Amino acid sequence: MDEKFILALDQGTTSSRTLLVDSKGTIRGTSQMEFKQIYPKAGWVEHDPEEIWASQWTTIWKVMEDARIDFSQIAGIGITNQRETTIIWDKMSGTAIGNAIVWQDKRTAPICEQLKSKGLEDYVRENTGLVIDSYFSATKIRWMLDEVDGAQKKAEAGELLFGTVDTWLIWKLTGGKAHLTDYTNASRTMLFNISTLEWDPFLLEQLNIPHSMLPAVKPSSGLFGYFKDEGHRIPICGVAGDQQAALFGQACLEEGMVKNTYGTGCFMLMNTGDNKVISKNGLITTLACSTGENIQYALEGSVFVAGSAIQWLRDGLKILKNAADSEKMAAEAAGCEDLFVVPAFAGLGAPYWDMYARGAIFGITRDTTGAQLVKATLESMAYQTRDVLEAMAEDSGIKVKSLKVDGGAVVNNYLMQFQADILNVPVERPEVVETTAMGAAYLAGIHLDWWDYRIIMADRRIDREFTPVMDSDKRQTLYHKWQDAVRRTRGWAEK
Ligand code: ADP
């Protein structure tokens, strides 16, 4: 019999990708296509929903063509996606009423201020796990209903549908038959009640958003509908937002397990099991992937500037030729421990949430070299990660035993060793760093009975474990200095 595969669709912010995964969990093909970023005004970011779909579809075809297979060999489809990005379309024609408003888009900040002035912050935190912010979908929906001619009326007449990108792809793949999302994506809208697992009637009323626009919500592993092609019926059976999919793909399936992704920024998620931990330290509470009705929660913290500080050294200061050179340069600067870089280029994220903080370099002397600056910048990623991890430990009462890592910067051995040292926790780098797409593949494979939790946990292979070697006095001194440096950057832009 012909070999069977899962298609893992990874719809990201800058590109759409599809991975072909076999029944052993091995990646057998990859295809990727970038699409247009639309910046109509400062602070606005849009995508063309049809281009999102077309680029995704192209990668599906390409990956199958390269592997010389057709849909008869596809057992199931998993989807992971950029989160929060908002699309509204006409139920009858399937046409979007405008471009997708992307998660980074800040145009709805004034709507967020209105919600705050109504005193909704505590309610939102308690019930959605989130802080009121323009990232999340709710205010983007409000904006479209206000700004697109006749949209509110049509929405009230039940003629419009809302979806995050997963919902849009499911709609397209099923030919408009399924209007669905999963718990992880729903939990990023700021409209979903993460305790009752229903759209929150009070918030819908406050934002004047008709319930009829919203997709039905399901566990991440399960049947979402079928894609049909020439007599083949392929189940779409795994769906999760990108960070939650990465948590799953890293096999962080039990309470207390944590992953950190080092990309442009850092995203850390901790599985908190069935405990809905509401943060006192600037983290958000979100739904993790679930494979049945048993819900798992996660705490999430993000750092705005991580790998992008390395890009700054390369493209801005031009003291690096490429990102990979940073490892060698940091090693060259060994022994220099007095230089600290706080890359608060756009304020500070978790756990500080200070939009007025600005970047600074501390400890410069006449001898300071470019290599030392590179080393201190790499170290800032590790310090910021410790800040978030400490907040998680405090909120959850869980002492973390190891940190699982992924993302573009984890190839840097200097960074990984320093991370282990400054946390005093082992850092595990997996062999397969495609954790996001693999998360979607696993979710689909669980529904297909290809795998279960045990197999996924047992199959995860570690490329390298970095164990802490720094002595504790030194660790403490360095971290105190970092905290002091951060303190001195706070509130700068206000003055
Ligand atoms: P994203 O998905 O956010 O675009 P990636 O996971 O692709 O990011 O990671 C890219 C980031 O990693 C870039 O910001 C880059 O500067 C950083 N990076 C890549 N290689 C290295 C390296 N060897 N050392 C440190 N940082 C690196």
Side-chain angles (χ1 to χ4, degrees):
M1 216 177 78
D2 279 342
E3 192 179 4
K4 296 271 185 187
F5 299 92
I6 287 171
L7 287 176
L9 279 45
D10 180 0
Q11 205 302 309
T13 308
T14 54
S15 72
S16 299
R17 304 167 69 230
T18 300
L19 270 65
L20 190 69
V21 179
D22 70 17
S23 60
K24 294 196 181 68
T26 307
I27 298 166
R28 297 275 293 275
T30 312
S31 172
Q32 178 162 5
M33 188 171 175
E34 289 193 9
F35 56 85
K36 208 168 44 256
Q37 306 293 311
I38 304 166
Y39 304 109
K41 291 186 190 180
W44 293 31
V45 191
E46 298 180 355
H47 294 157
D48 175 352
E50 290 302 332
E51 203 186 340
I52 289 181
W53 165 242
S55 58
Q56 192 66 60
W57 183 242
T58 304
T59 62
I60 292 174
W61 269 105
K62 185 81 181 31
V63 83
M64 294 204 307
E65 197 175 84
D66 289 350
R68 297 169 199 278
I69 59 167
D70 62 26
F71 281 110
S72 67
Q73 282 177 264
I74 303 299
I77 297 175
I79 299 175
T80 180
N81 56 289
Q82 52 166 319
R83 304 178 301 173
E84 297 115 10
T85 296
T86 299
I87 306 173
I88 297 179
W89 64 95
D90 186 289
K91 193 173 174 176
M92 290 306 288
S93 68
T95 311
I97 65 167
N99 278 337
I101 303 185
V102 179
W103 58 273
Q104 299 128 320
D105 190 294
K106 295 267 178 254
R107 81 183 67 176
T108 61
I111 307 178
C112 293
E113 289 310 319
Q114 281 167 22
L115 296 176
K116 284 181 195 165
S117 67
K118 280 184 172 174
L120 288 173
E121 270 169 297
D122 287 347
Y123 186 90
V124 167
R125 179 173 292 110
E126 272 291 310
N127 294 282
T128 70
L130 305 176
V131 293
I132 296 179
D133 196 280
S134 55
Y135 270 136
F136 308 111
S137 315
T139 58
K140 300 183 197 292
I141 301 177
R142 186 62 259 146
W143 191 92
M144 282 199 226
L145 293 182
D146 282 336
E147 299 300 321
V148 178
D149 243 6
Q152 178 71 24
K153 242 182 149 163
K154 278 180 121 184
E156 281 168 15
E159 293 166 20
L160 296 183
L161 299 177
F162 151 77
T164 38
V165 172
D166 54 312
T167 305
W168 176 242
L169 294 179
I170 295 167
W171 174 266
K172 287 289 196 185
L173 286 166
T174 60
K177 287 207 169 55
H179 183 225
L180 294 168
T181 189
D182 86 302
Y183 288 139
T184 67
N185 276 296
S187 73
R188 315 301 298 185
T189 58
M190 217 175 87
L191 295 173
F192 196 67
N193 190 308
I194 61 170
S195 303
T196 63
L197 303 182
E198 282 170 359
W199 298 110
D200 190 275
F202 176 72
L203 287 174
L204 291 180
E205 188 190 303
Q206 291 298 312
L207 280 137
N208 195 18
I209 293 173
H211 190 282
S212 60
M213 302 180 70
L214 305 173
V217 192
K218 305 186 61 147
S220 304
S221 181
L223 183 63
F224 286 80
Y226 292 97
F227 167 75
K228 289 191 186 137
D229 178 78
E230 293 179 8
H232 303 297
R233 209 170 70 134
I234 297 143
I236 302 161
C237 47
V239 177
D242 52 12
Q243 296 307 323
Q244 283 96 332
L247 187 71
F248 202 82
Q250 284 272 27
C252 292
L253 307 178
E254 290 171 357
E255 186 174 331
M257 296 176 95
V258 187
K259 74 91 195 173
N260 194 28
T261 301
Y262 300 75
T264 310
C266 280
F267 283 98
M268 192 187 291
L269 269 79
M270 173 193 269
N271 184 328
T272 59
D274 53 14
N275 293 322
K276 187 186 86 169
V277 178
I278 297 294
S279 178
K280 294 190 174 63
N281 293 290
L283 305 174
I284 55 185
T285 313
T286 200
L287 289 167
C289 294
S290 46
T291 55
E293 291 308 319
N294 274 351
I295 285 302
Q296 290 203 317
Y297 292 93
L299 272 173
E300 175 173 325
S302 36
V303 166
F304 298 148
V305 176
S308 55
I310 301 297
Q311 290 167 318
W312 166 66
L313 295 177
R314 188 192 60 193
D315 308 334
L317 298 191
K318 301 198 183 343
I319 55 176
L320 270 179
K321 269 216 232 26
N322 54 56
D325 283 352
S326 63
E327 184 173 342
K328 201 168 69 217
M329 286 179 82
E332 264 168 39
C336 161
E337 264 136 34
D338 307 316
L339 199 68
F340 287 79
V341 173
V342 183
F345 301 156
L348 286 166
Y352 305 104
W353 292 108
D354 182 347
M355 60 179 164
Y356 302 107
R358 285 297 176 270
I361 305 170
F362 296 93
I364 305 176
T365 63
R366 179 65 184 78
D367 310 324
T368 300
T369 64
Q372 291 173 348
L373 197 56
V374 170
K375 173 174 174 284
T377 305
L378 281 175
E379 290 171 354
S380 73
M381 289 195 222
Y383 287 123
Q384 293 184 94
T385 295
R386 175 157 167 186
D387 290 341
V388 177
L389 197 66
E390 297 228 326
M392 279 188 181
E394 202 172 307
D395 281 335
S396 65
I398 293 170
K399 190 165 166 2
V400 174
K401 290 199 266 320
S402 75
L403 181 69
K404 300 181 190 341
V405 298
D406 53 46
V410 301
V411 292
N412 191 308
N413 293 322
Y414 179 83
L415 170 62
M416 293 296 103
Q417 183 57 50
F418 188 77
Q419 184 68 84
D421 283 339
I422 214 66
L423 290 175
N424 198 23
V425 160
V427 168
E428 282 181 17
R429 184 169 67 196
E431 257 178 34
V432 177
V433 288
E434 291 280 7
T435 53
T436 308
M438 281 312 295
Y442 287 147
L443 289 165
I446 286 175
H447 176 76
L448 296 171
D449 276 336
W450 280 19
W451 305 305
D452 61 20
Y453 270 23
R454 239 173 340 111
I455 296 175
I456 291 172
M457 290 186 74
D459 273 2
R460 186 177 172 279
R461 277 188 290 279
I462 293 169
D463 161 52
R464 185 161 163 193
E465 184 177 69
F466 296 84
T467 38
V469 291
M470 189 180 277
D471 77 63
S472 66
D473 279 354
K474 182 168 167 190
R475 174 182 309 117
Q476 224 172 3
T477 310
L478 288 178
Y479 191 59
H480 280 155
K481 273 195 158 171
W482 161 259
Q483 288 177 306
D484 193 18
V486 169
R487 229 182 332 270
R488 291 166 198 248
T489 67
R490 305 287 302 268
W492 179 263
E494 252 176 340
K495 291 182 191 132

